[in-house]
Amino acid sequence: MDCIFYFFGLFLQCDHYRRGIISGSSCKALCDQKTLTLHRCMSTSSTHQVYIGLWKDRPVVIKCGIEDPANVDGVPDTLPRPEMSLFDKPTRGTSMDEFKEMLHSFLKANLGEQPSLSVLVDRVITLADVNQDGKVSLAEAKSIWALLHINEFLLMVALQEKEHTPKLLGFCGDLYVTERVIHSSLYRLEVPHYLKAVIPEALSSSLNHWLAPSWPRRARITIGLLEFVEEVFHGSYGSFLICDASPHHVGYNAKYDCKMANLHSVASQAMVRAFLKGRRCENNADCIYGRDCTATCDRLVKQCNTEVVQPNLAKVCMLLQDYLLFGAPSDLRGDLEKQLRTCVTLSGLASQMEVHHSLVLNNLKTLLWKKISNTQYS
């Protein structure tokens, strides 16, 4: 675990807070009252620190993004940010109207032109106004501006009313606190990368099947995951793409309700298109955003096309082929297998997206609900 920045980073955060450089709804609890405590480091990267902690005895996750705000998670070459430039905007003398214009331009660049962006700007202003005095101080503005450059934080703000997104509980400077998703992966067993060469995949798969929740509970988690796909398909602030459909990013709570444990792999469609537009390529492998948001390469002009080939639903169904089919009721298995097979072949082309996407998703949800409705699992 890479937690080399723990003591220095925490000291620096509280030093900035006491000097009035940063602000946030969690600063007092973290630095003065000591009711927000960091316990266990979960990081595997020096560019994004993640800790399990407690806030007034409530289990929470504390995250601090120290990557370069010019880079997006999943896009190569994330580098530590120079501390001096982290809280350099907005500058002293910036008016509220100018700050709102900064926010609007930033959100438009990252989410695309959306009719409801002004609503999101107001949401960000309300979030920044920690002392709720109807004004935004320079420290409050610098803090929220730094946080918005962390992709996951931006998505949490944009998707905060969605049922399957972890709740944002507070922040301090560029550190933010979320609810803890008790089961942070679809599977309990994760083989470290350095052991994968010696542990057969069939063995780890069998162990995960044995440790997994009962099939009706997996069906309930699946329905929640499909609802999340619906939520981000055409949301209030545009469409979002899952650019690393890993079982380790999908979690669930004690009631077996799906919660996305990690939003770093999710990106706005506008951001992905901007990344791909005009990008030079020799083949499709040059047209990938994140791990698996892949577009095609136009070999005549040697530039990437901007439409991602595989939609969210097809990626999720690839996960579900393993997660949902083992242990499935015999009277359901045939239909389930058929629907998942149809689902994984979905194309990301605009001509298919609207009708096929909704139809396949709703058919799959209905099939699962019929089986678990009017039971203790519904």
Side-chain angles (χ1 to χ4, degrees):
M1 294 298 174
D2 195 336
C3 294
I4 56 174
F5 295 103
Y6 170 60
F7 294 110
F8 178 70
L10 196 57
F11 169 80
L12 211 55
Q13 207 80 7
C14 289
D15 179 62
H16 283 348
Y17 164 63
R18 294 187 181 109
R19 287 164 54 197
I21 297 172
I22 64 172
S23 182
S25 54
S26 308
C27 290
K28 189 173 288 187
L30 179 71
C31 302
D32 295 340
Q33 299 168 342
K34 309 295 184 185
T35 53
L36 174 58
T37 53
L38 284 64
H39 289 196
R40 185 158 54 98
C41 174
M42 304 297 290
S43 298
T44 54
S45 166
S46 61
T47 60
H48 191 77
Q49 301 293 288
V50 181
Y51 304 91
I52 299 299
L54 288 176
W55 193 354
K56 295 180 179 176
D57 298 324
R58 176 181 181 174
V60 295
V61 176
I62 302 110
K63 299 183 178 184
C64 186
I66 55 174
E67 70 271 13
D68 182 348
N71 290 305
V72 191
D73 187 68
V75 178
D77 301 328
T78 52
L79 300 170
R81 292 181 285 188
E83 190 60 39
M84 64 188 73
S85 67
L86 179 54
F87 302 110
D88 62 347
K89 290 182 180 178
T91 55
R92 189 173 299 278
T94 303
S95 69
M96 179 61 88
D97 286 342
E98 288 170 334
F99 184 51
K100 283 186 175 181
E101 184 56 40
M102 280 175 65
L103 290 172
H104 191 278
S105 297
F106 175 82
L107 294 172
K108 180 180 174 181
N110 284 274
L111 303 178
E113 182 66 84
Q114 309 297 334
S116 51
L117 276 188
S118 57
V119 177
L120 189 55
V121 169
D122 290 340
R123 179 185 293 180
V124 172
I125 292 291
T126 301
L127 190 62
D129 183 15
V130 175
N131 57 8
Q132 299 178 328
D133 62 354
K135 303 172 185 176
V136 177
S137 69
L138 187 60
E140 289 171 339
K142 284 178 182 289
S143 298
I144 205 71
W145 184 254
L147 282 165
L148 288 173
H149 286 78
I150 300 171
N151 184 55
E152 184 178 54
F153 183 88
L154 173 60
L155 293 176
M156 292 185 84
V157 174
L159 301 173
Q160 72 171 24
E161 77 280 2
K162 305 301 184 185
E163 181 184 351
H164 305 292
T165 303
K167 299 303 176 195
L168 178 65
L169 302 178
F171 63 93
C172 180
D174 68 332
L175 173 151
Y176 57 106
V177 186
T178 73
E179 68 171 312
R180 184 179 176 189
V181 180
I182 188 166
H183 301 286
S184 59
S185 173
L186 284 181
Y187 296 115
R188 294 187 186 181
L189 178 67
E190 181 179 0
V191 178
H193 65 89
Y194 55 85
L195 289 178
K196 285 182 179 178
V198 294
I199 297 180
E201 189 176 341
L203 175 60
S204 61
S205 179
S206 296
L207 285 171
N208 270 318
H209 288 182
W210 184 69
L211 293 168
S214 63
W215 187 88
R217 286 176 168 153
R218 280 182 278 131
R220 180 183 172 90
I221 295 164
T222 296
I223 290 167
L225 178 55
L226 293 173
E227 287 172 349
F228 176 76
V229 171
E230 274 184 303
E231 288 169 354
V232 300
F233 181 49
H234 275 318
S236 304
Y237 307 112
S239 296
F240 298 86
L241 301 174
I242 300 170
C243 291
D244 183 4
S246 164
H248 306 302
H249 295 159
V250 184
Y252 55 94
N253 62 19
K255 295 180 180 178
Y256 299 92
D257 296 320
C258 175
K259 288 277 187 180
M260 295 303 290
N262 189 334
L263 289 175
H264 276 279
S265 64
V266 180
S268 72
Q269 189 176 61
M271 194 180 293
V272 175
R273 283 177 174 172
F275 174 81
L276 293 169
K277 188 176 181 180
R279 189 174 182 84
R280 298 283 296 168
C281 64
E282 296 294 332
N283 51 52
N284 293 354
D286 299 323
C287 301
I288 302 176
Y289 181 100
R291 188 176 293 273
D292 57 20
C293 276
T294 305
T296 55
C297 174
D298 185 332
R299 293 182 181 176
L300 287 176
V301 295
K302 295 189 180 296
Q303 285 191 356
C304 296
N305 293 309
T306 58
E307 294 299 322
V308 171
V309 174
Q310 192 180 36
N312 293 334
L313 185 57
K315 295 177 186 179
V316 164
C317 284
M318 287 184 75
L319 285 184
L320 296 178
Q321 281 185 318
D322 180 59
Y323 188 68
L324 208 50
L325 285 176
F326 78 86
S330 56
D331 61 334
L332 183 80
R333 187 181 174 92
D335 283 344
L336 186 56
E337 207 163 358
K338 182 180 176 182
Q339 290 202 21
L340 287 173
R341 205 162 45 237
T342 301
C343 181
V344 297
T345 60
L346 282 173
S347 163
L349 298 175
S351 58
Q352 268 205 23
M353 286 292 276
E354 297 296 332
V355 178
H356 270 118
H357 189 285
S358 299
L359 187 63
V360 171
L361 191 147
N362 287 327
N363 285 347
L364 196 48
K365 275 176 63 180
T366 302
L367 184 69
L368 296 173
W369 265 124
K370 278 184 178 177
K371 194 63 183 176
I372 67 169
S373 61
N374 301 317
T375 71
Q376 61 176 313
Y377 303 106
S378 62

